[in-house]
Amino acid sequence: MKKILIIDDNEVFTKTLKDTLPSEKYSVTSVPNGEDGLKEITKDAPDIIILDLLMPKMGGVEFLDALKKKGGNNIPILISSQLSKMEDISNAIVSGMDVGVKGYIIKSSENLDKIVEEIEKTLEKNSKR
């Protein structure tokens, strides 16, 4: 069973995504900020991270910076955000490529099938390495 860590303070999105992911394939944990995300990956390394950019305490970009300072990781990361923040998403992807950022997903309840598809595709690519 693959472990997914969602680092996002949007409880509705997090719960909806958890409910959409097949429970027989995935074990899903969520935390509301990057600070808790760092603790969680140290405690139990996930197979993939879904990372929001704007959160309290420690946002996504700060989370990526902290990972860099720790020497990175080999966990694939998908940035999750709103389409209206494309510049922030692009900057986060570029600055986070050396610590595992593989792309982004658009947060939307209408987009859940595509989000699951992107998670599965990223996990599959990562397992071939």
Side-chain angles (χ1 to χ4, degrees):
M1 182 173 292
K2 297 284 186 181
K3 292 181 267 179
I4 298 174
L5 174 61
I6 303 171
I7 305 174
D8 195 319
D9 64 324
N10 183 327
E11 291 177 21
V12 173
F13 173 74
T14 299
K15 182 177 179 350
T16 305
L17 183 55
K18 277 182 175 181
D19 292 346
T20 303
L21 289 160
S23 60
E24 67 277 359
K25 287 175 73 175
Y26 303 110
S27 166
V28 183
T29 302
S30 64
V31 294
N33 59 66
E35 194 175 281
D36 292 343
L38 287 173
K39 291 175 191 170
E40 189 63 36
I41 64 172
T42 302
K43 187 170 60 173
D44 188 21
D47 295 296
I48 190 168
I49 296 170
I50 310 304
L51 178 66
D52 187 20
L53 292 179
L54 300 174
M55 295 175 286
K57 285 190 183 179
M58 179 188 282
V61 175
E62 293 85 6
F63 173 84
L64 293 171
D65 288 342
L67 275 183
K68 259 185 217 182
K69 288 177 184 163
K70 288 184 170 207
N73 70 67
N74 58 357
I75 304 166
I77 300 168
L78 291 175
I79 302 292
S80 66
S81 196
Q82 308 294 335
L83 184 59
S84 62
K85 299 181 221 145
M86 282 306 290
E87 186 177 328
D88 291 341
I89 294 169
S90 298
N91 291 339
I93 290 170
V94 169
S95 70
M97 289 181 95
D98 56 341
V99 289
V101 173
K102 304 296 182 193
Y104 71 93
I105 52 178
I106 307 295
K107 271 204 283 191
S108 162
S109 57
E110 295 86 43
N111 201 26
L112 288 170
D113 289 341
K114 287 184 180 182
I115 292 171
V116 171
E117 186 179 306
E118 190 62 32
I119 290 169
E120 290 177 341
K121 188 168 50 173
T122 302
L123 282 167
E124 186 179 313
K125 282 182 189 175
N126 198 60
S127 68
K128 290 180 180 177
R129 294 181 179 195

